[in-house]
Amino acid sequence: MFPLFACVMNLVTISGIFHGLRLVARSTVPRNRRLMIEEFITTMDFCSCCCELAFLCDMYGVLVFGPLLFAMCLWWCYSFGDATANPNKYVEDVVRGRTSPNRAGQMILVQVVAGTLVFCVPQSISRIP
């Protein structure tokens, strides 16, 4: 039972840290650069939590994974704001003419970098005494 509690607390800690970073970014970063910073933070949040959820699913099965994923989805809907952590949005925006391919490429690159760096986050959180 303790490993389950530890994994859930990792999810709470990861989400709390990144939510705090989003709040700081929203209040300090100029509007024209804010979405890119928020996208980076949000992608790291999303990927880190999904990594932790994968461990939970592997250890406890879908009966634990399902409700936690649902709860996380509700949290993400509340906390992400304009950021999506999903490159499909930017591809769709280019197809529909809402944004330039250059801007979409920049946002997708930010997501790729954040997703690549994400493997450090769950490991770092787990090492906190």
Side-chain angles (χ1 to χ4, degrees), residues 50 52-54 56-58 60-71:
C50 286
E52 193 66 35
L53 284 169
L56 276 167
C57 187
D58 190 40
Y60 298 102
V62 294
L63 292 178
V64 171
F65 171 77
L68 284 172
L69 178 62
F70 179 72

Side-chain angles (χ1 to χ4, degrees), residues 9-57:
M9 290 313 297
N10 278 350
L11 284 172
V12 170
T13 303
I14 290 166
S15 290
I17 289 169
F18 286 116
H19 185 64
L21 288 172
R22 265 192 299 278
L23 291 176
V24 168
R26 287 177 187 154
S27 64
T28 59
V29 176
R31 182 125 177 96
N32 61 342
R33 296 178 191 252
R34 186 179 313 151
L35 184 58
M36 190 171 290
I37 300 296
E38 281 190 52
E39 196 67 60
F40 182 83
I41 295 167
T42 298
T43 302
M44 288 202 65
D45 180 5
F46 181 75
C47 293
S48 297
C49 288
C50 286
C51 181
E52 193 66 35
L53 284 169
F55 294 135
L56 276 167
C57 187

